[in-house]
């Protein structure tokens, strides 16, 4: 990898960035310069200083909390879970989402700790380069960016299909053009536009899910006059059954869960543009617990109680067909008029919200890759208003692929495009957990203490180990069901549609290793704890480490509550 440009005031800026008075273990200017001279600066860069203009830190606390709670709730939850119910049954869906939910709880806590200390653009991509290996960071960065690049046209197409719930006489290309134009308009307002749009759309999604849970309980108890099923209780957990297709059915749920939960990590990516990450990020990461428990697990539990998993409508459910959404179907089966249309409108809003998140996630990651000399240089450009225009143009160009929705082969094309996204989240989440483990090792090896951390992950390194292991197990389970698909025999097409992301990650990793070798960059297997960069990108914060509460059994209950609220 190319060496970064030396700036005349680089040592001064680094010294200032790390001159935290009153923090135990703080190094003076001489020690900092000596450490930086011996560190592999070709492998880690300060992303915020790589371009003349910087990203604008304009996201407030309310934006961060709504991004954490409802930022990526969309078709993955409202529509794609229909296939999960069909393949695995209601119990498999609930258990699978609980497992992935706990995995993400540990992952986001680990990400929050690093993002508060290093609120740099690219977040976990940067942490992968810094604490693991530049080649692995390169692979994770491009895998994550490609995932969001390909999800955008799918989400725009899905939004167009939701309109066909009411008007199927209008060509879907018209709605694709309308929604793509709206998305372009949001980009003119920069990160503040993204934050405001996500705030208001997330509020609508949260209200809708809360209302659905209440309605679902009423339906299950037989409180809807138009529903001739009466009291339902756990009827559908006995017939057709709680678990379908055995162990394969259970394993098949993980990819659906990853697609539904995808975007939870955006709160860490947004840290670089947060006005006060020290204050807003810890609160936002705690909200993930409620998002997982209430909006995903509880809502899906309700769906599994009031919709039979062998419903013919669910058999036709795809990632983009809202007519067969299990949520819409639950309301329709109760015979309630008008309300299915209302919830379909909510799905439309949710899909557009995720499309908005696609643009934010991919453009910031691509800009960070370019600033780190891992992508074409022009993609690193940021204008005076803090907008990465070149990266935005690239993302919107991918959005034009949504017009494939007019083709008769659109389902085949989108199946292959989406094969880059669902599984890739497991690699990203596992890398975040592993980066946190290595970060703690480097932090300790270089003489720092936990008291110096502005925010500590509630579950510590143990939580990251658990999160990493759960991610690996999910990858193994997905590999098994990809190799031996439900109701079929092993075939290459089915396998790569499920596991293509793994091939892409390995190819990207090998490419950067080979590229580094031929360009003369220093080759390393992994970043050693004693020499990894724990200084670059630290944002100066006004806080007293002596105010950090000492952990004890006496304050354990209070710490548990604070970790969740």
């Amino acid at each position: 990898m190319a060496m970064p440009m030396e700036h005349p005031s680089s040592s001064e800026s680094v010294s200032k960035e790390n001159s935290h008075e009153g923090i135990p273990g703080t190094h003076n200017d001489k020690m900092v310069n000596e450490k930086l001279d011996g560190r592999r600066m070709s492998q880690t860069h300060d992303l915020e200083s790589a371009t003349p203009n910087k990203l604008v830190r304009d996201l407030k606390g309310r934006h961060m909390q709504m991004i954490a709670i409802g930022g990526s709730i969309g078709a993955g939850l409202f529509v794609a879970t229909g296939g999960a119910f069909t393949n695995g049954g209601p119990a498999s869906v609930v258990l699978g989402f609980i497992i992935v939910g706990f995995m993400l709880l540990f992952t986001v806590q680990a990400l929050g700790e690093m993002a508060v200390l290093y609120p740099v653009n690219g977040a976990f991509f940067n942490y992968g380069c810094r604490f693991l290996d530049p080649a692995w960071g390169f692979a994770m960065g491009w895998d994550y960016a490609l995932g969001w690049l390909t999800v955008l046209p799918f989400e725009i197409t899905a939004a167009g299909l939701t309109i066909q719930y009411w008007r199927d006489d209008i060509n879907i290309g018209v709605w694709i053009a309308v929604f793509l134009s709206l998305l372009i308009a949001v980009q003119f307002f920069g990160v503040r536009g993204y934050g405001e749009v996500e705030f208001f759309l997330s509020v609508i999604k949260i209200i809708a899910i809360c209302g659905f849970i209440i309605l679902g309980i009423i339906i299950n108890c037989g409180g809807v006059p138009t529903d001739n099923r009466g009291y339902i209780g756990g009827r559908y957990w006995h017939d057709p059954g709680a678990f379908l297709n055995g162990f394969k059915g259970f394993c098949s749920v993980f990819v659906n869960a990853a697609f539904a939960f995808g975007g939870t990590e955006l709160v860490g990516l947004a840290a670089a543009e947060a006005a006060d990450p020290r204050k807003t990020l810890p609160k936002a990461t705690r909200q993930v617990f409620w998002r997982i428990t209430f909006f995903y697990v509880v809502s899906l539990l309700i769906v599994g109680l009031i919709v039979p998993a062998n419903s013919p409508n669910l058999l036709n459910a795809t990632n983009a067909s809202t007519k067969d959404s299990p949520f819409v179907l639950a309301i329709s089966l109760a015979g309630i008029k008008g309300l299915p249309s209302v919830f379909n409108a909510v799905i439309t809003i949710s899909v557009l919200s995720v499309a908005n998140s696609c643009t934010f996630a991919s453009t910031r990651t691509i800009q960070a890759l370019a600033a780190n000399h891992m992508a074409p240089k022009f993609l690193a450009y940021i204008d005076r208003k803090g907008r990465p225009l070149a990266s935005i143009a690239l993302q919107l160009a991918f959005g034009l692929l949504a017009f494939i929705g007019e083709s008769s082969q659109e389902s085949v094309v989108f199946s292959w495009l989406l094969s880059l996204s669902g599984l890739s989240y497991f690699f990203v989440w596992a890398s975040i957990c592993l980066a946190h483990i290595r970060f703690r090792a480097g932090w300790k090896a270089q003489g720092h203490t936990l008291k110096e951390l502005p925010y500590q992950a509630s579950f510590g390194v143990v939580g990251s180990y658990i999160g990493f292991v759960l991610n690996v197990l999910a990858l193994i389970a997905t590999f098994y069901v990809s190799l031996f698909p439900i109701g079929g025999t092993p075939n290459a097409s089915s396998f790569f549609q499920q596991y293509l992301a793994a091939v892409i990650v390995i190819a990207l990793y090998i490419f950067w290793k080979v590229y580094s070798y031929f360009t003369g960059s220093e080759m390393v297997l992994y970043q050693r704890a004693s020499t990894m960069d724990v200084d670059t990108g630290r944002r100066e914060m006004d806080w007293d480490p002596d105010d950090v509460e000492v952990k004890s059994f006496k304050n354990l209950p209070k710490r548990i509550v604070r970790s969740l609220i």
Side-chain angles (χ1 to χ4, degrees), residues 254-401:
F254 288 107
V255 169
N256 293 96
F259 186 70
F261 278 119
T264 305
E265 70 289 335
L266 282 176
V267 65
L269 194 65
E273 295 171 84
D276 187 2
R278 167 73 182 94
K279 181 179 179 181
T280 58
L281 261 178
K283 289 182 179 179
T285 55
R286 294 187 190 111
Q287 300 297 330
V288 173
F289 172 79
W290 298 109
R291 173 184 171 184
I292 292 169
T293 303
F294 195 73
F295 302 127
Y296 282 87
V297 176
V298 175
S299 64
L300 291 174
L301 174 63
I302 296 296
V303 170
L305 288 173
I306 60 180
V307 176
N310 61 352
S311 170
N313 298 81
L314 290 182
L315 292 174
N316 299 324
T318 65
N319 289 335
S321 176
T322 58
K323 291 183 178 180
D324 301 309
S325 161
F327 288 80
V328 174
L329 182 60
I331 301 172
S332 299
L333 289 175
I336 303 174
K337 304 297 182 181
L339 201 54
S341 291
V342 174
F343 208 89
N344 189 73
V346 172
I347 296 177
T348 306
I349 291 172
S350 301
V351 170
L352 291 175
S353 170
V354 175
N356 188 39
S357 296
C358 287
T359 306
F360 176 80
S362 61
T363 56
R364 270 56 182 182
T365 304
I366 292 172
Q367 192 279 330
L369 283 161
N372 216 27
H373 307 286
M374 291 182 170
K377 185 178 179 181
F378 75 93
L379 292 172
Y381 174 73
I382 299 175
D383 71 356
R384 288 178 296 178
K385 295 184 178 180
R387 299 171 298 190
L389 294 184
S391 298
I392 291 174
L394 176 64
Q395 171 67 90
L396 295 176
F398 266 81
L400 295 175
L401 291 174

Side-chain angles (χ1 to χ4, degrees), residues 77-78 183 255 260 337 343 371 409 471 554:
L77 172 64
F78 291 133
L183 195 61
V255 169
K337 304 297 182 181
F343 208 89
Q409 299 296 317
N471 273 287
K554 184 178 180 180

Side-chain angles (χ1 to χ4, degrees), residues 2 28 120 168 171 181 258 307 356 368 424 437 484 490 497 550-551:
N28 57 32
V120 294
D168 57 4
N171 188 289
S181 299
V307 176
N356 188 39
S424 67
I437 294 170
F484 303 101
Q497 281 193 10
V550 179
K551 295 182 179 180

Side-chain angles (χ1 to χ4, degrees), residues 138-471:
F138 171 82
M140 285 301 97
W142 272 112
D143 178 56
Y144 188 72
L146 285 172
W148 284 112
L149 283 172
T150 54
V151 165
L152 177 63
F154 163 77
E155 296 290 346
I156 295 175
T157 302
L161 289 174
T162 61
I163 303 299
Q164 291 188 341
Y165 185 88
W166 302 288
R167 294 289 302 272
D168 57 4
D169 58 324
I170 300 177
N171 188 289
I172 190 175
V174 174
W175 300 113
I176 290 174
V178 170
F179 293 139
L180 192 57
S181 299
L182 290 174
L183 195 61
I184 292 173
V186 173
Q187 307 312 309
F188 283 102
F189 299 95
V191 69
R192 188 60 178 268
Y194 162 73
E196 294 295 348
V197 169
E198 283 306 299
F199 177 80
F200 288 109
L201 296 186
S202 293
V203 169
I204 295 173
K205 289 187 283 186
I206 290 170
I207 293 173
I209 293 178
C210 291
F212 175 83
I213 290 174
I214 295 172
L215 176 63
I217 294 173
I218 296 172
I219 293 173
N220 185 259
C221 295
V224 179
T226 56
D227 191 350
N228 56 15
R229 294 174 296 177
Y231 174 75
I232 300 173
R235 181 190 311 170
Y236 297 135
W237 284 54
H238 296 282
D239 182 21
F243 295 94
L244 302 180
N245 297 309
F247 184 64
K248 285 185 182 180
F250 174 69
C251 292
S252 69
V253 172
F254 288 107
V255 169
N256 293 96
F259 186 70
F261 278 119
T264 305
E265 70 289 335
L266 282 176
V267 65
L269 194 65
E273 295 171 84
D276 187 2
R278 167 73 182 94
K279 181 179 179 181
T280 58
L281 261 178
K283 289 182 179 179
T285 55
R286 294 187 190 111
Q287 300 297 330
V288 173
F289 172 79
W290 298 109
R291 173 184 171 184
I292 292 169
T293 303
F294 195 73
F295 302 127
Y296 282 87
V297 176
V298 175
S299 64
L300 291 174
L301 174 63
I302 296 296
V303 170
L305 288 173
I306 60 180
V307 176
N310 61 352
S311 170
N313 298 81
L314 290 182
L315 292 174
N316 299 324
T318 65
N319 289 335
S321 176
T322 58
K323 291 183 178 180
D324 301 309
S325 161
F327 288 80
V328 174
L329 182 60
I331 301 172
S332 299
L333 289 175
I336 303 174
K337 304 297 182 181
L339 201 54
S341 291
V342 174
F343 208 89
N344 189 73
V346 172
I347 296 177
T348 306
I349 291 172
S350 301
V351 170
L352 291 175
S353 170
V354 175
N356 188 39
S357 296
C358 287
T359 306
F360 176 80
S362 61
T363 56
R364 270 56 182 182
T365 304
I366 292 172
Q367 192 279 330
L369 283 161
N372 216 27
H373 307 286
M374 291 182 170
K377 185 178 179 181
F378 75 93
L379 292 172
Y381 174 73
I382 299 175
D383 71 356
R384 288 178 296 178
K385 295 184 178 180
R387 299 171 298 190
L389 294 184
S391 298
I392 291 174
L394 176 64
Q395 171 67 90
L396 295 176
F398 266 81
L400 295 175
L401 291 174
F403 287 102
I404 294 175
E406 296 189 76
S407 168
S408 59
Q409 299 296 317
E410 57 91 12
S411 60
V412 177
V413 175
F414 280 125
S415 293
W416 283 103
L417 286 176
L418 291 176
S419 65
L420 296 172
S421 58
L423 191 70
S424 67
Y425 293 120
F426 288 130
F427 285 101
V428 171
W429 298 335
S431 298
I432 291 172
C433 292
L434 190 58
H436 181 245
I437 294 170
R438 294 298 301 154
F439 157 70
R440 282 289 190 95
W443 189 255
K444 181 180 179 180
Q446 297 185 35
H448 295 283
T449 65
L450 294 181
K451 272 192 172 184
E452 296 179 58
L453 298 176
Y455 171 66
Q456 295 181 34
S458 301
F459 306 98
V461 178
V462 175
S464 294
Y465 274 110
I466 296 174
F468 178 76
V469 171
L470 289 176
N471 273 287

Side-chain angles (χ1 to χ4, degrees), residues 24-79:
T26 300
H27 304 279
N28 57 32
D29 293 352
K30 181 178 179 181
M31 293 180 68
V32 170
N33 290 330
E34 289 176 353
K35 289 179 95 176
L36 292 179
D37 290 338
R39 193 167 284 133
R40 298 182 179 91
M41 292 301 291
S42 63
Q43 300 164 3
T44 54
H45 305 275
D46 186 351
L47 301 183
E48 294 189 28
S49 63
T51 54
N53 297 315
K54 297 181 180 180
L55 296 173
V56 179
R57 295 167 179 171
D58 210 13
L59 289 176
K60 308 302 180 184
R62 62 187 178 89
H63 299 137
M64 297 295 289
Q65 293 203 29
M66 282 302 169
I67 290 172
I69 296 175
S72 60
I73 295 176
L77 172 64
F78 291 133
V79 183

Side-chain angles (χ1 to χ4, degrees), residues 86-105:
T86 299
N87 292 328
S92 292
V93 170
V94 173
L95 286 176
F97 271 74
I98 288 176
I99 292 172
V100 177
F102 270 104
M103 174 203 306
L104 273 174
L105 185 60

